[in-house]
Amino acid sequence: MTLPIAKIEALALSASFDDLYDSPEDVPSWLRLPAASHHVLPRRGQYATIVKVHAEDGTVGIGECYGLPAPEVTATVVSSVLAPLLLGQDALAGTAVWERLFQGQAAGGHNRGFYLEAIAGIDLALWDLRGKLAGQPVHRLLGGPIRDRIDCYASPVALHADPEASAEHARQYVETGFRALKVKIGRGARTDRAHLTAVREEVGEDVEILTDVNCAYDLDEATRVGAVLRDLGISWFEEPLQVDDLVNLAELRRRTGLTIVNGETHFTRFDLRDSLVAGAIDVFMPNVARCGGITEAMRIAALASAFHVDIAPHGVGSGISLAAALQLCAAVPNLRTYEYNRLPNPIRERILVNPPEFRDGALTVPQGPGLGIELDDAVVDHYTIARF
């Protein structure tokens, strides 16, 4: 049995921060600059590209491409580059389709970045479609579930000006049921210590604290900050250096003994391979809306497991990629945790009729067919800025 793909749609969604507040002046600086890496390109809002794959029998699969910094980019790649390679292909042959798309531009060097994010949207939609046809959630098609609730952490405590503001932000997360949270750092050992100490004193010793540097440091400064983390009993050290600086990441791992975390801006198992061979990583963070979708994320997880490395999926995106990540997490043996991003985001919070339940530090895996979600079409229409 084959089921040809009949049509592809791509919708660019945008939720401006200006629209979430009474005036642009009311948007807090920590929201526009939540991490060290945003000083070059401040955040203006939340974005996503929705992909709809229509099969000839009328079944429609829903997926998502990573939307930052402009969702029109991945939507254009889907409609202009990928759609001609997809029409008429077998929607049931997911791996074959993935390889066709990847090889379509591999010789031209376009096998990462926006191109892989566009492939991810197609791949997620095809998994959703196949799950709907089978009447099963995607995690069943992947061989799960290993677990039906996914431990997660709140992200982020952003770059607040004062340690007291960081502590208050962290306290709010704990009050809503989180047992772990991630703090953005990257302003030098002294400032990082002040904010992390304030957070630790506020939330106590029973709440796990993770840190994210967003590539702000060189090896020497990261080594100094690593000593701060050890003093405070914090082990998670995410993107302390540039993500491709594998030699120095391996050296930092040796110097500090901390858990070196990387991968949200990597795309494929080939990127992970280089980190594993270099001994530069303890936890890899694929984003299913960036790394080529669930198909490639499963390969990433399998390769990581061969080196006793865990995955901890990156959690920035809409409610669609949230559901897709939970399906992956349910089926992967070497799961460490999941990043549940809590920055204001109506595309994540309002786009689904049936959002996943969060309770007692964990998210419940959707059990419906496919990704297990239903879109609120009125909300989608409200935030759609372009259709392809």
Side-chain angles (χ1 to χ4, degrees), residues 217-231:
Y217 291 141
D218 60 20
L219 176 60
D220 289 340
E221 185 63 17
T223 301
R224 288 188 284 271
V225 172
V228 172
L229 301 191
R230 291 183 66 86
D231 286 347

Side-chain angles (χ1 to χ4, degrees), residues 98-217:
W98 196 96
E99 292 296 329
R100 176 179 174 83
L101 299 181
F102 185 76
Q103 294 301 326
Q105 286 292 317
H110 299 299
N111 53 5
R112 286 172 172 77
F114 294 122
Y115 189 73
L116 253 291
E117 292 168 355
I119 289 178
I122 297 293
D123 185 75
L124 296 182
L126 288 174
W127 277 105
D128 183 51
L129 189 154
R130 293 193 297 273
K132 288 173 177 174
L133 288 170
Q136 296 287 339
V138 166
H139 66 260
R140 295 290 293 173
L141 305 186
L142 297 173
I146 293 171
R147 57 191 73 83
D148 56 17
R149 286 176 56 77
I150 308 303
D151 291 336
C152 56
Y153 61 90
S155 173
V157 175
L159 291 176
H160 292 281
D162 303 312
E164 295 76 16
S166 293
E168 170 63 18
H169 200 166
R171 182 185 63 79
Q172 293 172 6
Y173 287 145
V174 174
E175 288 181 345
T176 57
F178 284 97
R179 301 168 184 166
L181 53 89
K182 186 159 73 180
V183 181
K184 295 288 189 180
I185 59 174
R187 293 176 286 186
R190 180 177 299 178
T191 300
D192 288 348
R193 182 185 288 275
H195 284 260
L196 291 170
T197 298
V199 170
R200 173 59 78 201
E201 291 175 349
E202 182 66 33
V203 303
E205 296 294 330
D206 293 335
V207 173
E208 182 182 4
I209 296 175
L210 303 81
T211 64
D212 189 357
V213 184
N214 291 109
C215 312
Y217 291 141

